[in-house]
Amino acid sequence: MTLKTETRLLRAEPANDKGFSSLAVPVTRASTIVFPTCDAFERRYEQFYDGYTYGLYGTPTSRTLEARISELYAAEYCLCLPSGQSATALALSALLKAGDRVLVPTSAYGSTRTFCTEVLASFGVEVALYDPTIASGIGALIDDRTRVVVVESPGSNTMEIQDIPAIVQAAHTSGGRVLADNTWASALHCNPLDLGADIVMEALSKHAGGHADVLIGALVTRDEVLFRRLKDVSRLMGLGVSADDASLVLRGLQTMPLRLEREGTSALTLAHWLAARPEVARVLHPALPGDPGHILWQRDFQGASGLFSVELAPQYQDCTSVFVDALRVFRIGASWGSTHSIVTPQLAFRLTAAPGSTPGKFIRFSIGLEPVEDLQADIEAALMGLSAGTMPGAQERAVDQREL
């Protein structure tokens, strides 16, 4: 058959790649995936979990990323989603139904709590918030309707370390599952699957991506039945990741060990220094020997990331935002784990707060790759202004940042 030019252009085959070998993983974009026969098309879902059926459900690029994350967690199954929050929401939606009960630590990521208390609760799921330091005492909160216990160790604002093995034992005794948010540590510093968790969620937007330019989350498990359930529900929700985003994370993974080492070392240096400052009431960092969760951190973790929080002394509590505005090198913004140092003011969530009481104020630092001397000098200047009562304003901060 002689085809017209337009048809030949549409059906052009890629160049022969024999002899071509690149260090970079190819970026394979696709929506439609074609099949050789009607029979192959009609039977396409037989290869849904480990093959290719439609671009939304996996491409060679996204599957390569899932394989890398699985390797890091010594797991068999990984599913990548558009963000860490979508991964958490998918896992909870897949495991819970009306009449079930879910336990969520008060230290969990705010959107995780809100998804449970506003979305899941509206569908008839009972949501109970619990003290993250409860350990084996959580058994008293678990009943025969408790299907999932969420853990996040440490909490990404107030940094409480949870006793995951004790919580897992209590949950499994009653037939519940444990979903662990492991974004702070990543697989390099902690593996909740080894501690007994059933599913690990990691926001790959943070350490894995590492450059504040990509949004991806991952769910990792060693349980094939759980994986298939997650994959089935993700298809019905229309959740998938682009090959371009997956390729950015694959690139970030290559430098993640070096970045985490630098960020963790700098953060710990600053945490020790801040702990001795009179303007600081306490430093929330589990790698500090005096931290309430330090013993558990030593047991379960192989290192620390660059994220930690501080609480200013009582006389400076009302100046928290003013202090943050005075920083020049640190940028104000959500998220963390990138090459840039980020700072945000935070309000601590309290499970049992007195009516009319004001939540505690914290300052969360995400340490990037800037020299620690620059970061320390920036914080010191802001602290000195705080104690002297001469804090530069936000407009001055904006001018200074343009000059950096």
Side-chain angles (χ1 to χ4, degrees):
M1 178 188 300
T2 302
L3 301 176
K4 292 184 177 296
T5 300
E6 293 92 332
T7 301
R8 286 189 282 112
L9 288 174
L10 289 171
R11 296 178 62 90
E13 295 293 330
N16 188 329
D17 62 359
K18 183 178 181 180
F20 176 81
S21 181
S22 171
L23 289 173
V25 176
V27 179
T28 307
R29 304 180 186 90
S31 56
T32 298
I33 294 173
V34 296
F35 298 84
T37 65
C38 287
D39 180 64
F41 176 77
E42 291 169 357
R43 296 171 57 189
R44 65 193 183 281
Y45 286 114
E46 293 178 6
Q47 59 191 44
F48 175 65
Y49 302 104
D50 55 7
Y52 302 101
T53 59
Y54 186 66
L56 186 65
Y57 312 135
T59 66
T61 311
S62 63
R63 290 290 172 81
T64 300
L65 175 59
E66 289 169 344
R68 295 290 182 274
I69 302 301
S70 294
E71 290 171 4
L72 286 173
Y73 281 100
E76 289 76 22
Y77 309 101
C78 174
L79 177 63
C80 285
L81 287 310
S83 67
Q85 176 61 14
S86 67
T88 298
L90 168 66
L92 293 171
S93 299
L95 298 177
L96 294 162
K97 64 182 185 305
D100 289 343
R101 195 162 184 262
V102 59
L103 303 183
V104 183
T106 58
S107 58
Y109 174 51
S111 293
T112 297
R113 290 198 315 265
T114 303
F115 177 77
C116 291
T117 58
E118 294 189 8
V119 179
L120 291 180
S122 70
F123 291 125
V125 175
E126 181 184 346
V127 180
L129 300 178
Y130 71 90
D131 183 335
T133 64
I134 196 170
S136 59
I138 200 169
L141 303 179
I142 297 175
D143 59 21
D144 58 3
R145 295 186 299 113
T146 304
R147 296 290 177 264
V148 179
V149 178
V150 177
V151 297
E152 181 180 320
S153 183
S156 57
N157 286 334
T158 44
M159 304 293 152
E160 297 92 344
I161 295 290
Q162 295 195 256
D163 191 340
I164 295 179
I167 293 172
V168 165
Q169 182 176 4
H172 286 179
T173 297
S174 300
R177 304 281 194 177
V178 174
L179 169 64
D181 183 333
N182 192 48
T183 305
W184 183 88
S186 83
L188 297 183
H189 289 335
C190 181
N191 189 345
L193 295 177
D194 289 342
L195 301 177
D198 300 282
I199 304 174
V200 169
M201 191 292 293
E202 184 179 337
L204 303 181
S205 317
K206 310 297 196 289
H207 301 309
H211 293 77
D213 59 1
V214 65
L215 292 167
I216 290 189
L219 295 172
V220 191
T221 184
R222 294 168 177 165
D223 186 321
E224 183 178 5
V225 173
L226 272 180
F227 170 73
R228 287 179 172 244
R229 173 63 178 165
L230 296 170
K231 184 78 173 177
D232 288 340
V233 176
S234 73
R235 178 177 69 86
L236 297 175
M237 287 185 169
L239 298 175
V241 299
S242 78
D244 295 272
D245 287 346
S247 71
L248 287 175
V249 179
L250 282 166
R251 184 176 64 180
L253 286 175
Q254 297 179 53
T255 60
M256 184 171 73
L258 298 175
R259 288 185 283 104
L260 270 177
E261 181 180 8
R262 170 71 174 264
E263 292 161 10
T265 299
S266 295
L268 196 53
T269 297
L270 292 172
H272 280 289
W273 172 72
L274 282 164
R277 295 286 307 198
E279 304 92 345
V280 175
R282 59 177 175 145
V283 178
L284 291 75
H285 193 314
L288 290 178
D291 188 89
H294 183 66
I295 300 301
L296 289 176
W297 176 82
Q298 284 184 308
R299 184 191 71 182
D300 296 340
F301 292 73
Q302 289 75 54
S305 75
L307 190 76
F308 70 99
S309 298
V310 302
E311 182 181 12
L312 294 177
Q315 66 268 34
Y316 303 122
Q317 274 285 298
D318 291 338
C319 300
T320 297
S321 294
V322 178
F323 167 80
V324 171
D325 283 342
L327 295 167
R328 307 291 201 276
V329 179
F330 285 89
R331 311 299 293 271
I332 302 173
S335 197
W336 41 273
S338 78
T339 56
H340 296 83
S341 289
I342 301 294
V343 63
T344 55
Q346 302 283 342
L347 292 177
F349 183 90
R350 289 286 182 266
L351 183 60
T352 55
S357 63
T358 302
K361 296 179 181 179
F362 294 87
I363 299 162
R364 191 179 72 178
F365 293 103
S366 172
I367 307 304
L369 298 184
E370 302 91 346
V372 69
E373 296 84 359
D374 288 348
L375 300 175
Q376 182 172 325
D378 191 31
I379 296 172
E380 184 170 28
L383 288 176
M384 291 177 66
L386 187 70
S387 58
T390 56
M391 302 297 291
Q395 184 176 2
E396 189 175 340
R397 168 193 169 88
V399 173
D400 288 342
Q401 284 193 342
R402 285 196 297 270
E403 294 174 351
L404 286 176

